[in-house]
Structure formats: structure tokens, C-alpha cells
Amino acid sequence: MFSLAELERAQEIVHAAMPPTPAYTWPLLAQRLAADVVVKHENHTPIGAFKVRGGIVYVERLKREQPQTAGIISATRGNHGQSLAFAAKRNRLPLTIYVPNGNSTEKNRAMKAFGAHLVEYGADFQESREEAERHAKREGLHIVPSFHRDLVLGVATYALELFRAAPDIDVLYVPIGQGSGICGCILARDLLGLKTEIVGVQSAEAPSYALSFAAGRVVSTNSSNTRADGLATRVPDSEAFEIIRNGASHIVQVSDDEIAAAIRAYWIDTHNLAEGAGAAALAAALREKTRLGGRRVGLILSGGNIDFELFRTWVMADPIVQKVMMA
């Protein structure tokens, strides 16, 4: 998909807009997992999520190669849209974003604050994406897909940062939404010649990539009713699936309850707030704890953009929350 030289150039483009994010070891997380743990903090970007890197690289190339572009349009559950809004504002490019009805109020507000024109449409991300495509054709706008080479190239810069800071990671857990993050990790690992095992993580309520991985072909689902909205994908991208099938060892499915417990664990052990997708990697590592002893484990904390009300009603509602947090 791209060379190491291209990835290093993308890193320069990203770092012109934001600093590298930290990769920290946390003793309490190490105790919880009984393993050496490194967390890549993509919740520390200007939008609070890893997606910003892809938007920066995508829009930079678009403006350079197609300066006549009148405007861009895309669909999102939040972080992809914030990424494009951040990049579009930097490049003075009009942006329209479609989100499903009932989308995260706070993510919607954040996209608007960056200057995006927001349209609510459809019951889920897939319906929003299809309507955005129709709008693009009607208005002659450039549509930004959820998975694209330049988006992967951009987000792969976090993997390059991580692997160069910690090349001895034995196993890396990465959440899967539309697939750009895990594909970036796989491609960066391979370009650097590392042997790190990469494990994908999906919600058990939105397991399209896990089902596809097991079947050896793209498998769609009829619903994606997870509270972890960054994982709510019904239709896998075929190109992303091929990269994942060839480069990941396996995909772990985790429940919303396990994700909520991982959000609590991040807070109590590191005082970092994770959104659902951001905590999924830790949830999977906790599920596979017995296989991790003595290994160095990497966790991608992909974002921290969780609505306060969702945090209150989902994460903190458990009557035995204190027992779970201290487990």
C-alpha cells in the first residue's frame, strides 16, 4: 500500500500539525494483566482520537493534487468526522458530515465546533454513508471514504511512533471499526521487519470483521448495536479485510460489559478516560490474560471521546462497579 519512505513523509506531515502521542507503561495495568504493558495514547491528539492523523494526510494530498476541490463530504459516528473537520479547517475547505440519528451529542458538537456542516440521517452508520454518497453525486462534492490508502497512511504514523519507541512489543491489541487503525499497525510492523503479533478487537454486538476473518471472506451483519460507537461497523471494507486476514493473528470479540469494565480500569489505573473503542484493546487483553504472562503487551487507546451521559449510564451504572474496578 505504501513504502517506509512514504510513511516517514506522512509522519512529517502529521507532526507539522500535532506532536507525537506518548507511549507509557503503567504499573497498575501491568499488575492487572500480570504482564509488561505499553499504552499508546491516541486519546492525546487534538481531537482526542487517532483518526486525526488520517484526515491530516488525506486532506493535505487532496489540496495539493486537486486544489480546485470545492468541498468534501463524508459519514461518521464521530472521530472520522472530527478528523476531517480538523484537517478541513486547517486547509480552509468546506466540509459536510453525515451522522446517524441519535449520534453522540458531544461528538456532533465537536465536529460543528471545527466548522463542519452536520446532517443527521439514518438509523446507523451504513445508512448515513449511503446518503452521503448520494449527496456527493448531487452536489459534485469530493466524498471521503471511511477506508482509503491516505487515511491508513496517516494513522499508520502512530504505529511507526510506537514501534520505534518499543520495538520489543510481543503482542499488540488494536480495535477495529472500519479497519484503518489495525491495517496501519500491520503495514508499519511489516515495513519495519518486526515480529509483533497483532490482534484485532471487535464488539460482540458488531462482529463483521471477526465473522469475515473466521469465514475467509467478507461477511456483513444486519445490526451493530454496541455502545462502543467506534466499533459499530456492519459492512467490512474488502481491502481492509484482506490486510487484516493476512496480517493479524486473530480477532477477539468483547462484550459491552467487558468494554465498560476496561474503561473503568483505565480510569482507576492511569486516570485516562477512554471511549468504548479506545478501551476495547484492554478488554481483549483482559479476556486473554492467561496467554500474556511474561510477554510485553501493547494496547492502542484509540480515543477518549465518550459522552458524559453515556459514561454515567453505561460505565458507572454497575452496582458492583467498585468491586470490578479493584479486581
Side-chain angles (χ1 to χ4, degrees), residues 96-140:
T96 298
I97 288 291
Y98 273 75
V99 300
N101 291 312
N103 195 54
S104 161
T105 300
E106 292 170 24
K107 287 181 180 177
N108 288 355
R109 291 178 62 223
M111 286 182 276
K112 290 179 181 179
F114 279 120
H117 171 60
L118 198 75
V119 180
E120 294 187 63
Y121 182 93
D124 60 15
F125 166 73
Q126 185 63 27
E127 291 187 4
S128 294
R129 179 166 67 175
E130 291 169 1
E131 180 61 20
E133 291 170 352
R134 289 189 286 267
H135 185 153
K137 290 179 181 177
R138 288 195 306 267
E139 302 296 330

Side-chain angles (χ1 to χ4, degrees), residues 176 178-179 182-183 186 209 213 239-249 251:
I176 303 175
Q178 198 61 44
I182 189 171
C183 289
I186 290 168
Y209 277 97
F213 194 90
E239 187 175 9
F241 168 66
E242 288 301 322
I243 295 171
I244 294 167
R245 180 171 70 165
N246 292 320
S249 66
I251 297 175

Side-chain angles (χ1 to χ4, degrees), residues 216-249:
R217 58 180 176 82
V218 170
V219 176
S220 301
T221 60
N222 293 324
S223 65
S224 53
N225 296 322
T226 174
R227 293 178 175 178
D229 56 4
L231 304 179
T233 300
R234 288 198 291 115
V235 182
D237 181 274
S238 59
E239 187 175 9
F241 168 66
E242 288 301 322
I243 295 171
I244 294 167
R245 180 171 70 165
N246 292 320
S249 66

Side-chain angles (χ1 to χ4, degrees), residues 66-77:
Q66 301 179 41
Q68 76 284 0
T69 300
I72 59 177
I73 186 171
S74 193
T76 186
R77 289 297 301 266

Side-chain angles (χ1 to χ4, degrees), residues 27-182:
L28 290 175
L29 274 184
Q31 291 177 19
R32 190 180 291 270
L33 282 170
D36 187 19
V37 181
V38 180
V39 178
K40 182 59 169 168
H41 282 280
E42 290 297 286
N43 57 317
H44 290 186
T45 75
I47 69 163
F50 79 104
K51 291 277 192 179
V52 69
R53 299 169 181 268
I56 290 168
V57 171
Y58 188 101
V59 174
E60 187 275 340
R61 181 192 289 270
L62 180 66
K63 284 290 288 185
R64 177 164 39 87
E65 296 185 352
Q66 301 179 41
Q68 76 284 0
T69 300
I72 59 177
I73 186 171
S74 193
T76 186
R77 289 297 301 266
N79 289 336
H80 176 60
Q82 288 187 68
S83 166
L84 293 177
F86 177 87
K89 184 176 182 179
R90 282 175 54 85
N91 288 275
R92 299 179 180 177
L93 192 62
L95 168 67
T96 298
I97 288 291
Y98 273 75
V99 300
N101 291 312
N103 195 54
S104 161
T105 300
E106 292 170 24
K107 287 181 180 177
N108 288 355
R109 291 178 62 223
M111 286 182 276
K112 290 179 181 179
F114 279 120
H117 171 60
L118 198 75
V119 180
E120 294 187 63
Y121 182 93
D124 60 15
F125 166 73
Q126 185 63 27
E127 291 187 4
S128 294
R129 179 166 67 175
E130 291 169 1
E131 180 61 20
E133 291 170 352
R134 289 189 286 267
H135 185 153
K137 290 179 181 177
R138 288 195 306 267
E139 302 296 330
L141 299 176
H142 177 95
I143 188 157
V144 182
S146 299
F147 187 89
H148 183 275
R149 173 198 181 273
D150 289 343
L151 297 176
V152 178
L153 178 60
V155 301
T157 62
Y158 84 65
L160 184 63
E161 291 172 7
L162 176 61
F163 285 137
R164 283 190 162 158
D168 56 346
I169 290 175
D170 295 306
V171 55
L172 179 66
Y173 288 88
V174 189
I176 303 175
Q178 198 61 44
S180 62
I182 189 171

